[in-house]
Amino acid sequence: MSVSAHPWLGTLLGDAETAAPLGAEAQLTDLLKVEAAYARALGDAGRVSPETAEAAAQAILAAPLEPDRLRARTAQDGVVVPGLVAQLKAHLPGALHPALHSGLTSQDVIDTALVLGLRRVNDLLALRLAALSQALHDLRRDHGTAPLMGVTRMQDALPITAADRIDAWALPLADHAARLTALRPRLERLSFGGPVGVLPEADRPVAEALARHLGLPHPGKAWHAMRDGIAEYGGWLSLVTGTLGKMGQDLALMAQTGQVALAGGGGSSAMPHKQNPVAAETLVTLARFNATLLSGLHQALVHEQERSGAAWALEWLLLPQMTEATGTALRTAADLARAVRRLGPA
Amino acid sequence: MSVSAHPWLGTLLGDAETAAPLGAEAQLTDLLKVEAAYARALGDAGRVSPETAEAAAQAILAAPLEPDRLRARTAQDGVVVPGLVAQLKAHLPGALHPALHSGLTSQDVIDTALVLGLRRVNDLLALRLAALSQALHDLRRDHGTAPLMGVTRMQDALPITAADRIDAWALPLADHAARLTALRPRLERLSFGGPVGVLPEADRPVAEALARHLGLPHPGKAWHAMRDGIAEYGGWLSLVTGTLGKMGQDLALMAQTGQVALAGGGGSSAMPHKQNPVAAETLVTLARFNATLLSGLHQALVHEQERSGAAWALEWLLLPQMTEATGTALRTAADLARAVRRLGPA
Amino acid sequence: MSVSAHPWLGTLLGDAETAAPLGAEAQLTDLLKVEAAYARALGDAGRVSPETAEAAAQAILAAPLEPDRLRARTAQDGVVVPGLVAQLKAHLPGALHPALHSGLTSQDVIDTALVLGLRRVNDLLALRLAALSQALHDLRRDHGTAPLMGVTRMQDALPITAADRIDAWALPLADHAARLTALRPRLERLSFGGPVGVLPEADRPVAEALARHLGLPHPGKAWHAMRDGIAEYGGWLSLVTGTLGKMGQDLALMAQTGQVALAGGGGSSAMPHKQNPVAAETLVTLARFNATLLSGLHQALVHEQERSGAAWALEWLLLPQMTEATGTALRTAADLARAVRRLGPA
Amino acid sequence: MSVSAHPWLGTLLGDAETAAPLGAEAQLTDLLKVEAAYARALGDAGRVSPETAEAAAQAILAAPLEPDRLRARTAQDGVVVPGLVAQLKAHLPGALHPALHSGLTSQDVIDTALVLGLRRVNDLLALRLAALSQALHDLRRDHGTAPLMGVTRMQDALPITAADRIDAWALPLADHAARLTALRPRLERLSFGGPVGVLPEADRPVAEALARHLGLPHPGKAWHAMRDGIAEYGGWLSLVTGTLGKMGQDLALMAQTGQVALAGGGGSSAMPHKQNPVAAETLVTLARFNATLLSGLHQALVHEQERSGAAWALEWLLLPQMTEATGTALRTAADLARAVRRLGPA
């Protein structure tokens, strides 16, 4: 599902580093981490002996899974966890079964594993945001005094400087960083509610131990059917790519009117004299892509009853694409800022 | 453009109170408020005499505008301000002209007037959010112990209580309130940058006086082409309606399976025995409506150069509809919570 | 709900002539036309006497309705028909009641009335499409040989003529006209199925008479929950505005680079020397607007069971806006084509 | 980019058979087919000798490409063709170079290769549409007389039969088939216009020969910047999944109320007694997914000037996902129809 795997579009439109934390391999590892942490949590809460808990956790983490065997079960069950637990059960000696999965529901495991992946994605995106801010700061320092014609409503208006235009690309980044910091606690949270999302009072110690093992806060209630954290996050991703799309659109227009010189522009198969502003166009593409997909994440807020298979799977199809697009856009924008050789008239 | 004006759909799908602050009449008043505050700011900054400033401000506020004469000019100019200023100029004695609009650009006036309207909208939405929280609190208090069958993936799962389901409607509301509080300073801000969005250092005292007169913070730079505050706000509106859409979907399903009795359900022209869960369905409609429109607000982030007529007008078409839908949904949800006569089996 | 009613944005972004056939006044008339035709159909089929049928039809058409009294009922019922029928019943003598509405369901009446409005909309859009084709033909005739620089990927490529660029605006219009002709029979159809959409065999003569009176084909089954005709039509509207958005984007870019001179461009409140390509920008706005709303019409294809209140009302909020946007865009594009004074370099 | 490659979600949400014709391997083959056919067309038109043409065509088809070497060039050029042609040039003896690519532009090759893939996709989708129609016909034959309670607006209304509900799933399929037949000639067309999309009169014989070799009609003008065929097709895909989403929603609701028994329902990791209607939910997911992505394809109609890199790449990201989702939904719906063991009350 990641563009980065595409033989030739992979680097243009995708980003392997951003895609990795939500890729199948990493997700499988994270699913096991959640199951293992749960075994330990059962031990901490006295549901199983400490030895059983630790042995189960280690056996879970070391289980030789066969990912492709998960496919048929997932097509039938709609979710990977039953097939995964069946493989684990076959691998673990019966004495460890009491420490395996009992009391969890599929969505607890998948949503929590998703969050473990998103935590790494967000660490990375925060770094890229900072790197882009730095690149734009450097660009402003090096070219900010260049004269540009200010353009409003597609008409030359009054002279400005390059710094004035760069500011419109750079200033929102600080707000984006603050927004990310503010939303992460609403997104990167344990989800543990059992079959119908209602944690018995007696399971609260298990929840707390599980949260501690995973380093995630434990909200009062599993968010199986409260998806505002996910949709809010999708909005943040699209805000970021939107800002970068504006930067890309500006640079593409500047390329058309000769107001920018870029190193490494794209070549044409028919016209060797051209230097296409490919990276700038890509930023526009990714902005419109995320703006499109965001709508579906908000449609998925209408999660019916205690858990919705239909709305949930819609998130699976959309969210990893949006995180990857955002990582690609941040990388591309920083590269583009560094590729500027001239701003303003030649 | 407001649904509330529709002769029969007006109350079902619209909300006059939420629509009013962004309605044409209020917007005209807010445009004049901005122009008047600007006259006073020019006075404060010593650009015109205090007497001229005050006389101009009062004349602007009292100007007998002819809204319909604005139509032809707007069709030509793409924006109402040139026609508005022309009417004001004709109304004000020449001696006051130096205090009129000079140094402002259309987008300064319109974006700032928009924000004045949004401030009132947000005050109202915050109140409705609190009222809905209270209504759901009361509902939980009165019916929370009723037994329900928990349903996951469209199948009966395990018994829960009504409180468990209500929690999924109510808990996100506190986060929504916190999100609104956090985003308002990024939205409700002065926009003042002049023709190309670059405020000369010498105009900073004018900006500060203008911000003071309007009670708005003054960000460093006009946000003519940085629309993340608007798009973020649209996301918030859709988060709210999404949560309420989930509540509506649940109640519609409960109505179908007889798990809720509602006062005042809709009648059928053909089947008098039916009591349709109209309000619940409406919440689903409004959630999907906002989720749809949100995409366009994010497309509009790609504002090219110093000001984009194309992307800006797209906001005009979308944002007021989203605020009204949110107001309608909040009102409808609170009414619906209060209309519950029974939860759980009959 | 129509932009055309907005005091100043009404002509820029709206179109009263396109909005009228789906406006409240016209819809009310069309609802009555359907009810009257149904009375006559009952007469034709021998369910009531010809005299009763005709008297009822005439009384229905002449009924002094109070639209605002429909509002409260619609808010409760979710649909205007029960309130409307109640007013008609109060107006008609009891002897005519057997010819009133009996056997119809609300959705039969509203969907069929919608189609009566859409038929007029489509007649108008077809005319405007032809007028635009003519205007572009004239533009090509008058300016087609002007030299332009072909631009690919935002870079000057090779010389072309104005005709080459105009062709990309004009050629799709013929396909759009053919598409409209092909889809109209799938859209402009009677919907008559009664409460649960299942027409008893005995009512087939009524259906045929009703179809004849309204001049609409009668599909085998009411399309209460089969909304592909509506969604397909929405797609057509957005195809048209998309083509015009491309024309607008091109002309806006040509305005920026001085490759076009337009009569009547927009003025600026701050910079009298500017002539903004307002109409061109508006075409981009309307293209993105329809592309946004289209998604919601397709979401509304998921109409559950025999009739969905939630998905149906979503169409009400979206479709009339899309038809109006299309009418506005067609009018604006033709005006714009006629406003060209020069293409190519000055 | 295809879901079908995902280790466990691949079969649930993806479809390898539908994904294959637009997969990287097939696309590479199709790109070579276009280049080879072009070599032959140059021969037919007398631009190169017949021997050179044929030798070049065969060398092109047999060229040992290194797909991964295309990645870096694509990231730079924004398009795969320059890198591909460079590899071909290195592979072909210099004597054959006159028959290689000269006169084509990247977009000619990629759009035409896309169409070769879409032709196979559409053949497959047409077959699946027919298979689904048959499956629903059989379902109606076997279970059509079962009594169901008709449900309107989420309330029991009046009794119907299973056949009545099945009709709403099946009847639109015939229209979908007719729509596909009608649109294919507007989609499956040669695109050949050279660098700026303007075919010299002298190249018309080349175009005709190229069209003949590929079995594609040759429209008058390359559709580099006229994307209505693509957007219309996206609409068709979403109409199909929308109809199936309605079927899925109905069956999920029937599963919830016990009105259907399905073989092979999904298992739960926590509740072995449940049989989740996974396939039905999946149809809803895919309907909402396509309805979401469709918006982006319509945004991409705003292709600026002679060729737009930004809008074009947006299509690449969206269209293959929509075709695959449609293939998955058609397969899933037919499987679901065949899995019905009972309709109506137990």
Side-chain angles (χ1 to χ4, degrees):
Chain A
M1 295 163 80
S2 160
V3 189
S4 69
H6 193 283
W8 57 86
L9 296 177
T11 304
L12 176 69
L13 298 171
D15 187 79
E17 193 180 0
T18 318
L22 298 183
E25 197 177 347
Q27 277 293 290
L28 202 51
T29 302
D30 285 333
L31 291 168
L32 295 181
K33 274 189 198 161
V34 174
E35 296 281 3
Y38 187 69
R40 289 179 173 128
L42 290 175
D44 292 353
R47 301 294 174 87
V48 297
S49 73
E51 296 72 25
T52 298
E54 188 54 29
Q58 301 218 4
I60 288 167
L61 292 172
L65 291 177
E66 301 171 55
D68 287 332
R69 265 187 52 212
L70 299 170
R71 177 184 278 256
R73 282 295 305 270
T74 305
Q76 180 188 320
D77 300 332
V79 69
V80 71
V81 174
L84 180 68
V85 171
Q87 286 198 30
L88 291 175
K89 195 163 266 177
H91 175 68
L92 265 64
L96 302 182
H97 288 190
L100 177 62
H101 190 75
S102 167
L104 284 175
T105 196
S106 293
Q107 195 164 356
D108 291 335
V109 184
I110 289 184
D111 281 346
T112 301
L114 171 71
V115 151
L116 294 179
L118 289 176
R119 185 164 56 181
R120 295 194 300 276
V121 168
N122 289 335
D123 288 345
L124 177 63
L125 295 182
L127 285 176
R128 290 198 178 179
L129 208 46
L132 173 60
S133 289
Q134 184 62 48
L136 290 175
H137 175 269
D138 295 349
L139 179 67
R140 192 186 200 280
R141 181 198 59 211
D142 297 341
H143 299 277
T145 58
L148 283 183
M149 178 52 71
V151 185
T152 61
R153 306 199 71 145
M154 307 300 281
Q155 286 285 283
D156 285 356
L158 296 172
I160 61 172
T161 64
D164 295 324
R165 191 165 287 170
I166 294 167
D167 283 345
W169 312 335
L171 289 174
L173 301 184
D175 277 342
H176 295 332
R179 287 172 177 124
L180 180 61
T181 301
L183 72 81
R184 290 185 71 168
R186 290 191 288 259
L187 174 72
E188 300 173 9
R189 301 177 299 179
L190 179 68
S191 199
F192 175 36
V196 288
V198 183
L199 202 65
E201 193 52 39
D203 282 352
R204 197 153 296 271
V206 181
E208 278 157 24
L210 179 58
R212 197 174 56 245
H213 281 290
L214 295 168
L216 293 173
H218 174 230
K221 185 179 168 75
W223 41 281
H224 296 166
M226 298 181 285
R227 312 305 290 184
D228 49 300
I230 297 284
E232 177 187 27
Y233 176 60
W236 180 81
L237 295 169
S238 182
L239 285 182
V240 172
T241 48
T243 293
L244 306 189
K246 187 259 185 294
M247 171 184 163
Q249 185 67 275
D250 283 352
L251 282 164
L253 286 163
M254 292 163 80
Q256 172 159 355
T257 54
Q259 299 292 305
V260 67
L262 296 165
S268 156
S269 73
M271 293 169 286
H273 62 285
K274 285 181 66 190
Q275 282 278 86
N276 296 324
V278 168
E281 289 179 296
T282 299
L283 293 179
V284 176
T285 300
L286 295 171
R288 299 209 180 283
F289 180 68
N290 267 355
T292 298
L293 269 55
L294 177 60
S295 181
L297 275 193
H298 277 251
Q299 297 289 355
L301 287 166
V302 186
H303 249 70
E304 76 276 356
Q305 299 162 337
E306 277 57 68
R307 287 194 278 126
S308 165
W312 193 30
L314 185 56
E315 293 178 2
W316 302 347
L317 287 170
L318 297 171
L319 187 62
Q321 299 198 58
M322 294 183 71
T323 52
E324 182 175 2
T326 308
T328 307
L330 284 165
R331 186 203 73 215
T332 303
D335 289 347
L336 186 58
R338 294 184 200 110
V340 171
R341 293 291 165 265
R342 170 180 48 82
L343 283 179
Chain B
M1 296 164 77
S2 160
V3 189
S4 68
H6 193 284
W8 58 87
L9 296 176
T11 303
L12 176 69
L13 297 172
D15 187 78
E17 194 180 2
T18 316
L22 298 183
E25 198 177 345
Q27 276 294 289
L28 204 51
T29 303
D30 285 333
L31 291 167
L32 295 181
K33 273 189 197 162
V34 174
E35 296 281 3
Y38 187 69
R40 288 178 174 129
L42 289 174
D44 293 353
R47 301 294 174 86
V48 299
S49 74
E51 296 72 26
T52 298
E54 186 55 29
Q58 302 220 1
I60 287 167
L61 292 172
L65 292 176
E66 302 172 54
D68 286 332
R69 264 190 51 215
L70 299 170
R71 177 184 278 256
R73 282 297 304 270
T74 305
Q76 180 189 319
D77 299 332
V79 68
V80 71
V81 173
L84 180 69
V85 171
Q87 285 198 32
L88 290 174
K89 196 162 265 177
H91 175 68
L92 264 66
L96 301 182
H97 288 189
L100 178 62
H101 189 76
S102 167
L104 284 176
T105 197
S106 294
Q107 194 164 356
D108 291 336
V109 184
I110 289 184
D111 280 347
T112 302
L114 171 70
V115 151
L116 295 179
L118 288 176
R119 185 164 58 181
R120 296 193 300 277
V121 168
N122 289 336
D123 288 346
L124 177 63
L125 295 182
L127 286 175
R128 290 197 177 180
L129 208 46
L132 174 60
S133 289
Q134 183 62 49
L136 289 175
H137 176 269
D138 294 350
L139 178 68
R140 193 185 198 282
R141 182 196 59 210
D142 296 341
H143 298 276
T145 58
L148 282 183
M149 177 52 71
V151 186
T152 61
R153 305 200 73 148
M154 307 300 281
Q155 287 285 283
D156 286 355
L158 296 171
I160 60 171
T161 64
D164 295 323
R165 190 166 287 170
I166 294 169
D167 283 344
W169 311 337
L171 289 174
L173 301 184
D175 277 343
H176 295 332
R179 287 173 178 123
L180 179 61
T181 301
L183 73 80
R184 291 184 71 168
R186 290 191 288 259
L187 174 74
E188 301 174 7
R189 302 177 299 178
L190 179 68
S191 198
F192 175 38
V196 287
V198 182
L199 203 65
E201 195 51 39
D203 281 352
R204 197 150 295 270
V206 182
E208 277 157 24
L210 179 57
R212 197 172 58 243
H213 281 290
L214 295 169
L216 292 173
H218 174 229
K221 184 177 168 73
W223 42 282
H224 295 166
M226 297 182 285
R227 313 306 288 184
D228 49 300
I230 297 285
E232 177 187 26
Y233 177 59
W236 181 82
L237 295 168
S238 182
L239 286 183
V240 172
T241 48
T243 294
L244 307 188
K246 187 259 184 293
M247 171 184 163
Q249 185 67 274
D250 283 352
L251 282 163
L253 285 164
M254 292 163 80
Q256 172 158 354
T257 52
Q259 299 292 305
V260 66
L262 296 165
S268 157
S269 73
M271 294 168 287
H273 63 284
K274 285 182 64 189
Q275 282 278 86
N276 296 325
V278 168
E281 289 178 295
T282 299
L283 293 180
V284 176
T285 300
L286 295 170
R288 298 210 180 280
F289 180 69
N290 268 355
T292 299
L293 269 55
L294 177 60
S295 181
L297 275 193
H298 277 251
Q299 297 289 355
L301 287 166
V302 187
H303 249 71
E304 77 276 356
Q305 297 162 338
E306 278 55 70
R307 286 194 280 126
S308 166
W312 194 29
L314 185 55
E315 293 178 2
W316 303 347
L317 286 170
L318 296 172
L319 187 62
Q321 300 198 59
M322 292 184 72
T323 51
E324 183 175 0
T326 308
T328 307
L330 283 166
R331 187 203 74 216
T332 302
D335 289 348
L336 185 58
R338 294 184 200 110
V340 171
R341 292 293 165 262
R342 170 180 49 81
L343 283 178
Chain C
M1 296 164 77
S2 160
V3 188
S4 69
H6 193 284
W8 58 88
L9 297 176
T11 303
L12 176 69
L13 297 172
D15 186 79
E17 194 180 1
T18 316
L22 298 183
E25 199 176 345
Q27 276 293 290
L28 203 50
T29 302
D30 285 333
L31 291 168
L32 295 180
K33 274 189 198 162
V34 175
E35 296 281 3
Y38 187 68
R40 288 179 174 129
L42 290 175
D44 293 352
R47 302 295 174 85
V48 298
S49 74
E51 296 73 24
T52 297
E54 187 55 29
Q58 301 218 4
I60 288 167
L61 292 171
L65 292 175
E66 300 172 56
D68 286 333
R69 264 189 52 212
L70 299 170
R71 178 185 278 256
R73 282 296 305 269
T74 305
Q76 181 189 319
D77 300 331
V79 68
V80 71
V81 173
L84 180 69
V85 170
Q87 285 197 32
L88 290 174
K89 196 162 265 178
H91 175 66
L92 265 65
L96 301 182
H97 288 190
L100 177 62
H101 190 75
S102 168
L104 284 175
T105 196
S106 293
Q107 194 164 354
D108 291 335
V109 184
I110 289 185
D111 280 346
T112 301
L114 170 71
V115 151
L116 295 179
L118 288 176
R119 185 163 57 179
R120 296 193 301 277
V121 168
N122 288 336
D123 287 345
L124 177 62
L125 295 181
L127 285 176
R128 290 197 178 180
L129 207 46
L132 174 59
S133 289
Q134 184 61 49
L136 290 175
H137 176 269
D138 295 349
L139 179 67
R140 192 185 200 282
R141 182 196 58 210
D142 296 342
H143 298 277
T145 58
L148 282 183
M149 177 51 72
V151 185
T152 60
R153 305 200 73 146
M154 306 301 280
Q155 286 286 283
D156 286 355
L158 296 171
I160 60 171
T161 64
D164 295 324
R165 191 166 286 170
I166 294 168
D167 283 344
W169 312 337
L171 289 174
L173 301 184
D175 277 343
H176 294 332
R179 287 173 178 123
L180 179 61
T181 301
L183 73 80
R184 291 184 72 168
R186 290 191 288 259
L187 174 73
E188 300 174 8
R189 301 177 299 177
L190 179 69
S191 198
F192 175 37
V196 287
V198 182
L199 202 65
E201 195 52 41
D203 281 352
R204 198 152 296 271
V206 181
E208 279 157 23
L210 179 57
R212 197 173 56 243
H213 281 290
L214 295 169
L216 292 173
H218 174 229
K221 184 179 168 74
W223 41 281
H224 296 165
M226 298 182 284
R227 313 306 288 184
D228 49 300
I230 297 284
E232 177 187 27
Y233 177 60
W236 180 81
L237 295 168
S238 182
L239 285 182
V240 172
T241 48
T243 293
L244 306 189
K246 188 260 184 291
M247 170 184 165
Q249 184 67 275
D250 282 352
L251 283 163
L253 285 163
M254 292 163 80
Q256 172 157 353
T257 54
Q259 300 292 306
V260 67
L262 296 165
S268 155
S269 74
M271 293 168 286
H273 63 283
K274 285 182 64 190
Q275 283 276 86
N276 297 324
V278 168
E281 288 178 295
T282 299
L283 293 179
V284 177
T285 301
L286 296 171
R288 299 211 181 278
F289 181 68
N290 268 355
T292 299
L293 269 55
L294 177 59
S295 181
L297 276 193
H298 277 251
Q299 297 288 355
L301 287 166
V302 188
H303 249 70
E304 76 276 356
Q305 297 161 339
E306 277 57 67
R307 286 194 280 125
S308 166
W312 194 29
L314 185 55
E315 293 177 2
W316 303 348
L317 286 170
L318 297 172
L319 187 62
Q321 299 198 60
M322 293 183 72
T323 51
E324 183 175 0
T326 308
T328 306
L330 284 165
R331 186 202 74 217
T332 302
D335 289 348
L336 186 58
R338 293 185 200 109
V340 171
R341 292 292 165 267
R342 169 179 50 81
L343 283 178
Chain D
M1 295 166 79
S2 159
V3 189
S4 68
H6 194 284
W8 57 87
L9 296 177
T11 304
L12 176 69
L13 297 172
D15 187 79
E17 194 181 1
T18 317
L22 298 182
E25 198 178 345
Q27 277 293 289
L28 203 51
T29 302
D30 285 332
L31 292 167
L32 294 181
K33 274 189 199 163
V34 175
E35 296 282 3
Y38 187 69
R40 289 178 174 129
L42 289 175
D44 293 352
R47 301 295 174 86
V48 298
S49 73
E51 296 72 25
T52 299
E54 187 55 28
Q58 302 218 3
I60 289 168
L61 291 172
L65 292 176
E66 302 171 54
D68 287 332
R69 265 187 53 213
L70 300 170
R71 177 184 279 254
R73 282 295 306 268
T74 305
Q76 180 188 319
D77 300 331
V79 69
V80 72
V81 174
L84 180 69
V85 171
Q87 287 198 30
L88 290 174
K89 195 162 266 177
H91 175 69
L92 266 64
L96 302 182
H97 287 191
L100 177 62
H101 189 74
S102 168
L104 285 175
T105 197
S106 294
Q107 193 164 357
D108 291 336
V109 184
I110 289 184
D111 280 346
T112 301
L114 171 71
V115 150
L116 294 179
L118 289 176
R119 185 164 56 180
R120 295 193 301 276
V121 168
N122 289 335
D123 288 344
L124 177 63
L125 296 181
L127 285 177
R128 290 197 178 181
L129 208 46
L132 174 60
S133 289
Q134 183 62 49
L136 290 175
H137 176 269
D138 294 349
L139 179 67
R140 193 185 198 280
R141 181 197 60 209
D142 296 341
H143 298 278
T145 58
L148 282 184
M149 176 53 70
V151 185
T152 61
R153 306 199 72 146
M154 307 301 282
Q155 287 284 286
D156 285 355
L158 296 172
I160 61 172
T161 64
D164 295 323
R165 191 165 287 169
I166 294 168
D167 283 345
W169 312 335
L171 290 174
L173 300 184
D175 277 342
H176 295 332
R179 287 173 177 123
L180 179 61
T181 301
L183 73 81
R184 291 185 71 169
R186 291 191 289 260
L187 174 72
E188 300 174 7
R189 301 177 299 178
L190 179 67
S191 198
F192 175 36
V196 287
V198 182
L199 202 65
E201 194 52 39
D203 281 351
R204 197 153 296 271
V206 182
E208 278 156 24
L210 180 57
R212 198 172 57 244
H213 281 290
L214 295 169
L216 293 172
H218 173 231
K221 186 179 167 72
W223 43 280
H224 295 165
M226 299 182 284
R227 312 305 290 184
D228 49 300
I230 297 284
E232 177 187 26
Y233 176 60
W236 180 81
L237 295 169
S238 182
L239 285 182
V240 172
T241 48
T243 293
L244 306 190
K246 186 260 185 291
M247 170 184 164
Q249 184 68 275
D250 283 352
L251 282 163
L253 286 163
M254 292 163 80
Q256 172 159 355
T257 54
Q259 300 290 306
V260 67
L262 296 165
S268 157
S269 74
M271 295 168 287
H273 63 284
K274 284 182 67 189
Q275 282 278 86
N276 296 324
V278 168
E281 289 178 296
T282 299
L283 293 179
V284 176
T285 300
L286 295 171
R288 299 210 179 280
F289 180 68
N290 267 355
T292 298
L293 268 54
L294 177 59
S295 181
L297 275 193
H298 277 252
Q299 298 289 354
L301 287 167
V302 187
H303 250 70
E304 76 275 357
Q305 298 162 338
E306 277 56 69
R307 286 195 279 126
S308 166
W312 193 29
L314 185 55
E315 293 177 3
W316 304 345
L317 286 170
L318 297 171
L319 187 62
Q321 300 198 57
M322 294 183 71
T323 51
E324 182 175 2
T326 307
T328 307
L330 284 165
R331 186 202 73 216
T332 303
D335 288 348
L336 186 58
R338 294 184 201 111
V340 171
R341 293 289 165 268
R342 169 179 50 79
L343 283 179

